[in-house]
Amino acid sequence: MIDKRESRAWAEIDLDALAHNYHALRDWIQASSAPEAPVALLGMVKANAYGHGAPAIGRKLQELGADMLAVACLAEAVELREAGITIPILCLGQTPVEQAEDLLAYDVTQTVGDLEIGRALSAAAVAAGKELAIHIKLDTGMGRLGFIWREGSQAGTVEQVRALCALPGLRAEGLFTHFAAADEDVDYTELQGRRLREARAVLEEAGIHLKHYHCASSAAVLNYPWTHMDMVRPGIAMYGHYPDPASEIRGEPSLRPVMALKARVTSVRTMPIGTKLGYGCTATLKKESRVAVLSIGYADGLPRSLSNKLEVKLHGIPCPILGRICMDMCMADVTAVPQTKVGDAAVVYDGDLNRIAELAGTITDELVCRVTARVPRVYRENGTRIG
Ligand SMILES: *Cc1c(COP(=O)(O)O)cnc(C)c1O
């Protein structure tokens, strides 16, 4: 009997692979940076845990011993709290000040990269009679969010951060920055690292000592042990994908993909040479072929840009997608797999997604994030399916 969740298209999420990656990254960090104290691990679970399902991934990371989780917005933090997450949660995005009450009620640590917003949050916390934990964001070169730290502009930033830290109702616990090019530009990454270290030193001289200093996303964790500081923030690597294919070639640490996207075969027909397939008639059969229809399309998150490019697997054998990927379906040439029948499960993707991402003109992160809500996430743990 087919599980109801697996009647159409579904994503298999392997929590054992997540545990493997968690331990592999922990071991790699301890071995490569040889820190005096253990490096804390913040698990990145924004965007529904990169499409893997935030409640289940958050609970598993908490159980594994993650020190902290991070999300993009308050709603994601609330979802995690309601799923039983009790470890600290850092909200990376700007929360509207009107929602400060919820930050306090759900015990969410808020990123602050602007003094005016800090003042408004301080006032809200004081009014509520509570203290809001914050991490201070520095813009060392990403050009996106945070107090700007550049050569020549340090003094003003120090004054702003001092003023922020002196506000009542706020408890500053961290200072961090984000790299713009940790997967491609060594010099720029080192420049950003120097700026963060300088900021830390200058602020410490000014009497500001924080519990956590952090900057390393996956590419930095793998490429630059000096970025580990006392906390790391891996995202895509925890889900089993190398941000930089070279890391895989170097072979350490070994990661296992957590998600496999699958779909049912809903029809198999033999079609004559010359048959045109799909919208726009972009594929024409060059010989008589067996054509299967799979119940997955771009409304499930399968990029339409993979039309006539992706190969899915049936019974382990690669089968090319023929014609344009439709909203809810796509077609595959299964001539090479004569045993294919209605009800078979096709592997749309699993394993290394870097090549598929390249075919789709995107990155692995987008492939996993874009799997839509219509696709049930089915979890496996200790080798078996869980509810
Ligand atoms: C998303 C994100 C990360 C994780 O990035 P990966 O490349 O997926 O490891 C780390 N830090 C910040 C601020 C992020 O937004």
Side-chain angles (χ1 to χ4, degrees), residues 251-267:
E252 282 183 297
S254 98
L255 302 174
R256 280 167 45 191
V258 176
M259 180 192 287
L261 187 61
K262 302 193 175 177
R264 289 284 162 206
V265 171
T266 58
S267 146

Side-chain angles (χ1 to χ4, degrees), residues 103-185:
L103 286 173
L104 292 160
Y106 288 93
D107 191 18
V108 178
T109 304
Q110 176 60 48
T111 297
V112 179
D114 178 284
L115 183 54
E116 280 318 301
I117 290 170
R119 287 200 174 107
L121 289 172
S122 156
V126 169
K130 291 185 178 167
E131 208 171 49
L132 178 68
I134 63 166
H135 279 211
I136 302 161
K137 177 82 181 273
L138 282 188
D139 179 347
T140 58
M142 176 74 175
R144 191 171 63 174
L145 279 180
F147 294 99
I148 294 174
W149 193 277
R150 300 282 191 285
E151 293 60 42
S153 75
Q154 293 100 324
T157 300
V158 171
E159 279 325 299
Q160 292 192 339
V161 173
R162 281 178 72 157
L164 176 70
C165 290
L167 290 169
L170 300 184
R171 189 175 68 249
E173 296 186 335
L175 179 76
F176 75 104
T177 196
H178 193 44
F179 292 121
D183 50 356
E184 45 200 324
D185 190 331

Side-chain angles (χ1 to χ4, degrees), residues 42 44 46 50 70 92 137 144 176-179 214-221 233-239 243 365:
L42 176 158
M44 197 53 69
K46 62 190 177 190
Y50 290 47
L92 295 165
K137 177 82 181 273
R144 191 171 63 174
F176 75 104
T177 196
H178 193 44
F179 292 121
H214 50 107
C215 57
S217 56
S218 298
V221 168
R233 307 191 303 261
I236 195 67
M238 253 181 1
Y239 301 104
D365 314 49

Side-chain angles (χ1 to χ4, degrees), residues 2-24:
I2 289 179
D3 186 315
K4 197 158 83 254
R5 295 169 298 175
E6 300 178 6
S7 56
R8 210 187 139 261
W10 68 101
E12 271 180 23
I13 309 297
D14 182 353
L15 295 177
D16 300 330
L18 182 72
H20 168 90
N21 299 337
Y22 175 89
H23 293 302

